[in-house]
Amino acid sequence: FISTASHEMRTPVAAIEGYLSLALNEKVSKIDEKAKSYLEKAHASTEHLGKLFQDLLTSAKAEDGRLTSHPTVVNISEFITQLVEDLKFSAEKKGLVLEMQTSSLPQGAQKNIAPVYYAKVDPDRLREVVTNLFDNAVKYTETGKITIGMTGNTEVVQFSITDTGHGIPKADIPHMFQKFYRVDNSATR
């Protein structure tokens, strides 16, 4: 089922991606810079959607132990900065502020210089995890902001996603990693 569904969904997404590419091609169409910016974001999101359909197949492999990872050295600082930029529209559409926090400013400091971290990771898996957490933050935050934080040292890079939503009840925290588990409250109904 997953294979068939994924194949059927990838076909129209590929068509959308193709039309967006045509719209972005200066030899085919003329668009203003603001529209071009929106189309570029839509194109990137469509490419990501195609990858998500591929992830359906990947999840089936994970279920039967055939999942492989493709780690590569990634500049995590650039990766997260770009991801925050890509996700910003979803937050703004709901009236939420999305900010990136890379470190605390020392008392009296004027500028925050973003640290640079490299890690050997599978960028697709990392993007999927951060995006899933972000999507949940947007879904369950009515007002306020979402912060994607990053910190690290020479051994470890850590991410955090915090929001001003109502949070997860303590009784439900032990079930967070159960497949398809949902907190039973009015927001999830």
Side-chain angles (χ1 to χ4, degrees), residues 51-64:
K51 289 178 183 178
L52 290 176
F53 291 137
Q54 182 60 42
D55 288 346
L56 286 172
L57 296 173
T58 303
S59 69
K61 289 179 181 179
E63 290 288 317
D64 65 17

Side-chain angles (χ1 to χ4, degrees), residues 21-91:
S21 293
L22 284 173
L24 289 166
N25 185 335
E26 293 177 2
K27 295 177 183 174
V28 176
S29 65
K30 301 289 181 214
I31 53 174
D32 63 56
E33 284 303 310
K34 190 171 186 179
K36 182 179 180 182
S37 170
Y38 293 144
L39 288 173
E40 285 171 343
K41 289 176 183 174
H43 188 262
S45 293
T46 304
E47 286 178 324
H48 181 62
L49 185 58
K51 289 178 183 178
L52 290 176
F53 291 137
Q54 182 60 42
D55 288 346
L56 286 172
L57 296 173
T58 303
S59 69
K61 289 179 181 179
E63 290 288 317
D64 65 17
R66 295 182 295 127
L67 181 63
T68 58
S69 181
H70 303 287
T72 183
V73 175
V74 174
N75 179 331
I76 298 295
S77 305
E78 286 180 3
F79 180 86
I80 291 298
T81 300
Q82 182 59 54
L83 190 54
V84 166
E85 186 62 33
D86 293 345
L87 297 173
K88 190 179 281 190
F89 181 72
S90 295

Side-chain angles (χ1 to χ4, degrees), residues 2 56 59 63 175-184:
I2 290 174
L56 286 172
S59 69
E63 290 288 317
H175 305 286
M176 280 179 35
F177 294 100
Q178 277 181 275
K179 196 173 184 178
F180 302 117
Y181 182 82
R182 291 217 174 196
V183 173
D184 186 25

